[in-house]
Every structure is written in C-alpha cells, then in structure tokens.
Amino acid sequence: MEPSNASLERLVSRLRGVADADVALSEGYITVLGKPVLQVPRKISTHRDEWLRHDAPAVYPSVPHGQARATLLFGILQDCGTAEGARPFDYELDQELRTKLPGDTEEKRTAVADAVLEKFWYQGQKVKYLLPLHASLALGFRQSSSNGKRMQYKMFRGNILPFLCSTSSGVDEDLLERLLDVFRSRADFTQLDREVLRIAESLSPNVSPLSVQTLLSSEGTRNMLEKLESAGGAFCQPSLELFQRDLAEVLSMRLPRRDLIEQVTLLLALHLATRLYRVSLVLANQLDQVISLFAPDEAPAPSACSQGCVGETSACDLAGRIRFRVGSGAFRAVKLTDACVESYRQLTSGYLVPLPVTIATANLAADALRAAEGPEIASLDLPRMHQVLNTGGELLARRFDAITRVIAVCRGFQQYPAAPADVLERFARNGSPGIYALRESLLEVRRSAMRHEGRDVVHQLVKEVSSGRLIQSNGTRATFFEIDEAMLFLLVRTICQRKIIPFAEFLEGLARYGLHPQDPYEEDFLQKSLERLGMFARYSDAAESAYVHHVDASQATGEG
C-alpha cells in the first residue's frame, strides 16, 4: 500500500514535539521555514531500502555478503587480472585432471588425482573450493557451488585489499606487490604441480598477468579510493596499520605455499572480523554521545574513541572487550555466565547485529544536520557532528532534533501505512531525542534482517571453519569466543614476530585485536596451551619470567 502524503502530513502535524515551529512536512518534503530541505524517501524494500542507507566507504568498500572463507583470496585475486572469454568452472578442471594426470593404470591415475585435488582444493562440509595456489587458477576459473552453478556473491571484492593497505598518503603498493608475488611464482612447485598448471592453462589460456596496477585501475578500486578520500580517510586508520604490519610479517614466514596462503587467508579473516566488531562498538558509542546532547541526564561516560580513532588500537573501545577462552582440542563445558559467552552476546547482539542501523542512523542524521542549516560533515564523522551540535547554538540543535523526529515518524508510517495514527505515534517517541527516535524506528522495522551484513559474515570468517576459529558453539546452547590452536599460532607470530617477549607484553598485544582471556584461570590455561605448542618458556616461578615466542624464534639472531 502506497502511503498518502496528506495522511502523513496530518500525522506529523498532530504530534506534539515532532513538527517544531519552523519544521514541518509538506508534499513529501521536510521543510524549514516553509523551504523544502529534505525529500522523504518513498522506496520500501527488503534488500535496497533508502531508509536503511548503510553505505559506509570509511568502514568497508562495499556491504559484505556471507561466503565461505576459503574463497576470500580467490575472489580478491580475480580482480587483479583478466581472462578473455567465459572462464570454465573449477569442476571442469577437476574432471580434466582425473583423465590427464600421469599414471599407466586407472588405479594409479586415480591415486595421483586424489593427492593433487587434496592439495589444490579445500574440502568444505558440502562443497570443494579451488585454492589460488597460483594466479592462473584464480584468474582462469570460476568457483562452482554444490549444484554446479556459479557462486553469485563474494564476501568482499578485490578492492578490500587496497582498502586494508591504504595509508594517510595513498596505498602501500610495495606491500601489495609482495603479496601478489606469492601467487606469481612457481619456484617451489614440483613437476606434478607444474603439470597441473599446464593442464589448467590449456583449459583457460587467455589470462592476463596478475598485477597491482590492474587492481588499482579497476572501476571498483577507483570508486573506493574516491569515496575514501571524500570521507576523509578510513575509519580507524590504526587498525589498518596493524593489518599492514601483520601482513608484512606473515609474508616473511618460511612455509610451504599452501600453508602460507592459509595463513594470509586467516589473517584477512581475523582483521575483517575484528574490524566489524570494532566499528560496530565505536560507532554505537559515538552515536550515544550525540544522543546524550539531547538527554544530558542519561549521558553515557565518554568512550576512548568518542573524539575519533587516534593512536594505538590498544586504546580503542574494543581493547580487551573480546573475552575468550582457549580451545583444547577436546570438549570443554561452558556456562552461560562465562565471560566468553557474555562478551560474545553483548558485542554481537548489542553492537554487531544493529551495525547497519547504526550506520543508517548516522547517515540520515548527517542529512538532517545539513537540512537544519548546519555544515556538511564527512561520512560517519559522529565526533564532528557532536562538536557542531554542542557549539552550534540552540536553534540548530532544535531544528536537528525536530527533523530527525520527523524522519522517524515518516519511516514508521511508510512501513505501516494502514496502522491507526495512535499506533504510529510511537515512532515519534515524544520525550526522547529525535535521533534516538530515528534509531529506534529503524531498529523496529529492520530487526529481522540485520544479521546478514554483520553476524553472518563474521561467522563465515571465524566460526564456520574447521580451523582458525575465533568463535565456537556448544550445540545450540551457547556461542562464545574461543581461540583454537591455528588462530593462536597466527597471533603469536604477529604479536611476537621473531622475538621472545614477556607474557604480559603478549597480553597487551592481544588487546590490540580486542582480545583478552576471560579470567585468571584462562590466562593460566593459555600459558599451558602455548607451552604445549612449543611457544612458551618459563625460567623461574616468578610471573615476570614467563615468555612467549613463535616456533622459529630460536632461528632469529641477536633478539630475545
């Protein structure tokens, strides 16, 4: 049912505190002093709702979609080159290898093919995923789903890589080149591996070289960089600097090609997942600070990031908020009162799931500020919005409050146009700040679909995997933060690098990712897990004599 503008205008006019003396609704526009300043969106759709405009170029290049983690690097590399004509599916390569690999009997050919497929494909629960062990595989083939059709969505496009490698002065092209070099080289391939590539290239011959410049000149990357510049840079630049430092360290690891690619994939998953948690928490806290200007009696305590993201990530709102336990490889009971369960529930349900609504509220509030004759602010610059509203005078604040409340009422009316007026009045939430009413109205009508752009993506990155986990479930009873051995192995490398560091310093390094053991018992369990993996040393019973190192730290010279 198409809502009636006249009915909506009557609803707005009858609500005390919604239409201020100089703010009203007329013919589909919010007006200030009778002048149209902001058009009311009319489109209501589950997938592309103008009211839920949660594009956030400073947070990520595009809204992510759930997809298997094993395809993350494959999809990114596909945007670093081109292939002329239609690319074959990976199952076609599978079939070709089974018939053309060496072996003088059917049994021997099958055995060779099975060994090769185990190396070149990752076996998921239902689907096999071709790994990009060489650039020609990612550029020359398409991943197929369980029914043999093309996978329709990627979690992130290739521009996520230059986004994560962006700096205050551009993109770290040298770091990108180092990463792509891993996929260009054939130096460590066996003769059988080279035969696999020969067969693959005969199936998909028209592939351009893998190139950083191809990636940077692609339309998606150019658009991302332009938006990033207009937004004033990336949200939480220190977290990107941490990723760049970690990527350089991982690329220095002396591992077989497949193991190295798995470490790079896991690093991407760790940083993308924790970034979503970081953004959702920080933005929500910053939005609460703006709301508190209109409800000073209920003002929250200023957050570490209330004035913007500066300094080390160890000073971020997320630092130490991800309370985890360590996976032992065997079943461990978990209580609903354990900190690893409670912190997962608080961060995921309280912040990550509503992230699209938090972003949409911030975007609509920026429109409202401009309509109230305030300045235009950069995307998601809530600290700047707080400053403007705090110092811009009573008239600006009054108009902003009225406009955001009108938007909230319009949103409720367009979602439920047939509801009685007294039912729709709840969207005004008289007595509460207009920006609070706006956020609550978006939450009310979008609650069931929000999880797809946040929680589901994080689960695909660090939960729905056989190893390299940050999130675990004990059936359907409890979901919680738990680091398994593969994730712990990576974290020790990125934190310690090639040094031997005190255990207390290692805990400080974990905090940069938002991580902290859930209690003192878990700290002790973490030490035992590190010791079992050969990455912990204690030189006396004193707490300050406990040290953490990566497994190849002993090969470093002059350190430790």
Side-chain angles (χ1 to χ4, degrees), residues 535-548:
M535 298 190 292
F536 183 80
R538 187 187 296 277
Y539 298 108
S540 75
D541 292 336
E544 59 270 17
S545 69
Y547 291 87
V548 181

Side-chain angles (χ1 to χ4, degrees), residues 44-72:
I44 298 296
S45 163
T46 301
H47 301 290
R48 298 298 299 172
D49 190 339
E50 292 180 43
W51 289 103
L52 199 65
R53 184 167 53 85
H54 57 285
D55 53 304
V59 172
Y60 36 52
S62 58
V63 178
H65 298 276
Q67 184 57 278
R69 185 173 84 189
T71 67
L72 186 58

Side-chain angles (χ1 to χ4, degrees), residues 70 117 120-124 127-131 258 465-466:
L117 296 177
F120 280 79
W121 270 264
Y122 169 82
Q123 181 64 56
V127 187
K128 289 193 308 183
Y129 302 105
L130 179 62
L131 296 173
R258 173 165 173 156
V465 288
S466 59

Side-chain angles (χ1 to χ4, degrees), residues 450-495:
M450 292 185 298
R451 68 182 186 276
H452 299 305
E453 289 90 16
R455 189 201 69 181
D456 289 358
V457 173
V458 166
H459 280 193
Q460 291 278 52
L461 287 168
V462 291
K463 179 177 183 287
E464 308 295 344
V465 288
S466 59
S467 65
R469 289 192 304 272
L470 177 59
I471 298 172
Q472 179 65 285
S473 291
N474 277 2
T476 59
R477 182 172 179 268
T479 302
F480 47 91
F481 291 120
E482 179 180 276
I483 292 178
D484 68 357
E485 290 185 353
M487 184 68 77
L488 187 58
F489 179 89
L490 174 68
L491 286 167
V492 171
R493 180 60 185 234
T494 57
I495 294 171

Side-chain angles (χ1 to χ4, degrees), residues 254-536:
R254 290 169 288 184
L255 294 171
R257 179 185 294 258
R258 173 165 173 156
D259 292 341
L260 180 59
I261 290 174
E262 287 180 350
Q263 289 298 299
V264 173
T265 302
L266 181 55
L267 181 72
L268 281 166
L270 170 66
H271 278 271
L272 291 170
T274 54
R275 180 172 181 80
L276 284 170
Y277 276 118
R278 190 184 308 278
V279 168
S280 62
L281 177 62
V282 171
L283 278 181
N285 288 342
Q286 291 178 347
L287 185 59
D288 284 342
Q289 293 295 322
V290 175
I291 293 172
S292 71
L293 291 173
F294 302 90
D297 294 339
E298 302 177 7
S303 66
C305 300
S306 59
Q307 300 304 315
C309 297
V310 293
E312 288 284 337
T313 55
S314 57
C316 176
D317 288 348
L318 185 67
R321 291 289 298 270
I322 300 177
R323 296 282 174 165
F324 69 89
R325 72 177 200 176
V326 183
S328 64
F331 176 80
R332 288 180 67 192
V334 64
K335 299 177 182 177
L336 296 179
T337 55
D338 286 349
C340 63
V341 177
E342 291 184 340
S343 67
Y344 171 82
R345 184 170 59 247
Q346 291 168 0
L347 289 173
T348 305
S349 300
Y351 297 99
L352 181 61
V353 171
L355 176 59
V357 162
T358 302
I359 293 174
T361 303
N363 287 338
L364 289 170
D367 293 342
L369 182 63
R370 185 172 60 254
E373 299 185 349
E376 185 166 352
I377 64 173
S379 173
L380 301 184
D381 192 353
L382 289 169
R384 171 63 175 158
M385 182 182 295
H386 182 277
Q387 179 188 27
V388 168
L389 290 170
N390 192 36
T391 60
E394 181 182 353
L395 180 60
L396 176 65
R398 181 164 55 88
R399 286 178 174 172
F400 173 83
D401 188 56
I403 291 171
T404 51
R405 198 183 307 276
V406 168
I407 296 175
V409 174
C410 293
R411 181 60 176 98
F413 185 87
Q414 292 203 339
Q415 185 69 28
Y416 306 112
D422 57 343
V423 173
L424 293 171
E425 287 183 16
R426 73 180 186 277
F427 286 96
R429 288 178 170 80
N430 287 332
S432 299
I435 189 172
Y436 173 84
L438 174 58
R439 182 179 66 182
E440 293 302 302
S441 69
L442 292 175
L443 281 170
E444 186 168 340
V445 299
R446 187 65 174 171
R447 195 175 302 276
S448 62
M450 292 185 298
R451 68 182 186 276
H452 299 305
E453 289 90 16
R455 189 201 69 181
D456 289 358
V457 173
V458 166
H459 280 193
Q460 291 278 52
L461 287 168
V462 291
K463 179 177 183 287
E464 308 295 344
V465 288
S466 59
S467 65
R469 289 192 304 272
L470 177 59
I471 298 172
Q472 179 65 285
S473 291
N474 277 2
T476 59
R477 182 172 179 268
T479 302
F480 47 91
F481 291 120
E482 179 180 276
I483 292 178
D484 68 357
E485 290 185 353
M487 184 68 77
L488 187 58
F489 179 89
L490 174 68
L491 286 167
V492 171
R493 180 60 185 234
T494 57
I495 294 171
C496 299
Q497 299 186 346
R498 280 151 287 180
K499 302 176 182 178
I500 300 175
I501 66 173
F503 181 69
E505 187 177 331
F506 177 70
L507 293 180
E508 293 173 0
L510 288 175
R512 292 198 293 268
Y513 303 88
L515 301 166
H516 195 280
Q518 65 175 348
D519 52 38
Y521 169 80
E522 202 64 39
E523 283 191 24
D524 183 62
F525 195 90
L526 173 59
Q527 291 184 0
K528 292 177 180 177
S529 297
L530 290 168
E531 188 171 19
R532 186 176 67 253
L533 294 172
M535 298 190 292
F536 183 80

